[in-house]
């Protein structure tokens, strides 16, 4: 288990004038690298052999460190290199998936932006619901037993695989028939979550919480572009084609302005609940996945406790960040701004765990 004390000690050995923002070359790495560059910090991307030429080809990337496998990040050799370079790890979705939330908690002895425990909470769908409910958010009805299915449901499997293998079912018979075709180990199948399918409009708001001044910002908002479900809506009829929910891109969106006060209140409640459930709670960027119903109610079905890939549509800032800053402020840049400000106030220990 990596202790906070140990991380603080590593930080004490850092040259705080030469901090390097580090992540895996994937997901939102280019935005994070540009954000560091814009804030006058250096960046370093950990890439596998296949992706190394790609990431080296972007002028915003300072250093690419090639590794054979992402799990090598846990090796003492790579961690030593990162500490020598004063690296601060910024976890994104692929980072958590490739390295593993448990490994980050147990073995990664390099300072990381935000709490490590929160990554464990976001990796477990049941814990996510516990968190959302504790924040007073409305969540889709869950069905523990397939026999109880009395409406359209979406069946989800563990792991952040971008919606692969999910299916819709309208009753128990439909559920059982479709479950047979799912090509996953029985143990994974047994761990599925059966959720009410909420029909409405989707919003994925990007928040940033800073413990430095206890502020919550709305930096942007996107909708995930999912295959094939977003293609099906172009057909006059579904022709019996089953929808799938594999993320292939992101689309920017703004929310009706009268809904924003309620959205911010929900964001603040998410932060408040996280502090109670797993101190120090949610720090830095996070995102809620939600549907807005015709009654203008938000129903949240997921919380991502780190930068999300949907922020990539706002590398040059968003309609919301433009109201907060007089300069283009992406989520990646906001992360580096936080690191820079914490360093200037000698408060890095409050944001790095
Ligand atoms: P998730 O893996 O939870 O992010 O879900 C993948 C996608 O499935 C989402 O982006 C939505 O398009 C859709 N989805 C997930 N849960 C629900 C739900 N309860 N109601 C409606 N759509 C959902």
């Amino acid at each position: 288990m990596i202790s906070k004390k140990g991380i603080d000690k590593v930080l004490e050995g850092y040259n705080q004038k030469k901090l390097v923002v580090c992540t895996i070359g994937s997901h939102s790495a280019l935005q994070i690298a540009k954000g560091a560059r814009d804030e006058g910090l250096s960046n370093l991307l950990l890439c596998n052999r296949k992706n190394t030429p790609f990431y080296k080809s972007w002028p915003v990337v300072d250093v690419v460190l090639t590794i054979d496998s992402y799990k090598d990040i846990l090796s003492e050799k790579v961690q030593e290199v990162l500490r020598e370079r004063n690296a601060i790890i910024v976890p994104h979705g692929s980072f958590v998936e490739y390295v593993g939330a448990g490994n980050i908690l147990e073995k990664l002895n390099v300072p990381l932006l935000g709490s490590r425990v929160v990554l464990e909470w976001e990796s477990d769908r049941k814990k996510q619901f516990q968190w959302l409910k504790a924040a007073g958010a409305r969540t889709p009805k869950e069905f523990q037993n397939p026999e109880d299915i009395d409406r359209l449901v979406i069946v989800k499997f563990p792991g952040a695989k971008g919606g692969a293998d999910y299916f819709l079912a309208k009753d128990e018979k439909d559920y059982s028939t479709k479950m047979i075709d799912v090509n996953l180990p029985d143990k994974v199948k047994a761990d599925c979550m059966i959720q009410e399918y909420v029909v409405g409009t989707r919003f994925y708001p990007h928040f940033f919480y800073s413990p430095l001044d206890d502020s919550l910002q709305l930096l942007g908002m996107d909708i995930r572009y999912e295959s094939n479900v977003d293609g099906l809506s172009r057909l006059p009829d579904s022709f019996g084609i089953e929808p799938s929910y594999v993320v292939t891109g992101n689309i920017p969106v703004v929310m009706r302005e009268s809904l924003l006060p309620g959205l911010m209140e929900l964001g603040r409640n998410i932060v408040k609940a996280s502090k109670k459930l797993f101190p120090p709670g949610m720090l830095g960027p996070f995102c809620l996945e939600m549907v807005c119903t015709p009654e203008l109610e938000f129903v949240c079905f997921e919380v991502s406790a780190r930068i999300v890939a949907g922020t990539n549509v706002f590398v040059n800032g968003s309609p919301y960040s433009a109201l907060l800053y007089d300069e283009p402020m992406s989520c990646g840049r906001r992360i580096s701004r936080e690191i820079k400000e914490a360093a200037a106030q000698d408060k890095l220990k409050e944001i790095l765990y």
Side-chain angles (χ1 to χ4, degrees), residues 138 140 196-205 255 288-294 296-302:
R138 193 179 143 195
E196 164 191 15
Y197 187 92
V198 186
V199 183
T201 50
R202 287 169 302 140
F203 291 95
Y204 300 71
M255 190 180 269
L288 293 175
E289 293 185 23
M290 56 164 70
V291 166
C292 187
T293 68
L296 302 180
E297 241 193 302
F298 301 135
V299 185
C300 299
F301 51 83
E302 206 158 306

Side-chain angles (χ1 to χ4, degrees), residues 148-217:
D148 298 335
I149 298 173
D150 62 356
R151 63 193 82 181
L152 186 64
V153 295
I154 181 164
V155 181
K156 303 181 180 185
F157 299 94
K161 297 274 185 297
D165 296 312
Y166 289 8
F167 65 85
L168 299 185
K170 58 181 191 306
D171 52 31
E172 196 223 339
K173 192 164 162 258
D174 196 20
Y175 167 92
S176 305
T177 314
K178 287 175 178 164
M179 193 56 122
I180 294 169
D181 293 334
V182 174
N183 193 15
L184 287 172
D186 285 346
K187 216 176 123 228
V188 180
K189 283 189 181 185
D191 211 14
C192 73
M193 195 187 225
I194 308 171
Q195 262 178 32
E196 164 191 15
Y197 187 92
V198 186
V199 183
T201 50
R202 287 169 302 140
F203 291 95
Y204 300 71
H206 318 144
F207 293 101
F208 192 98
Y209 173 71
S210 171
L212 300 178
D213 59 358
D214 190 30
S215 64
L216 180 74
Q217 295 174 321

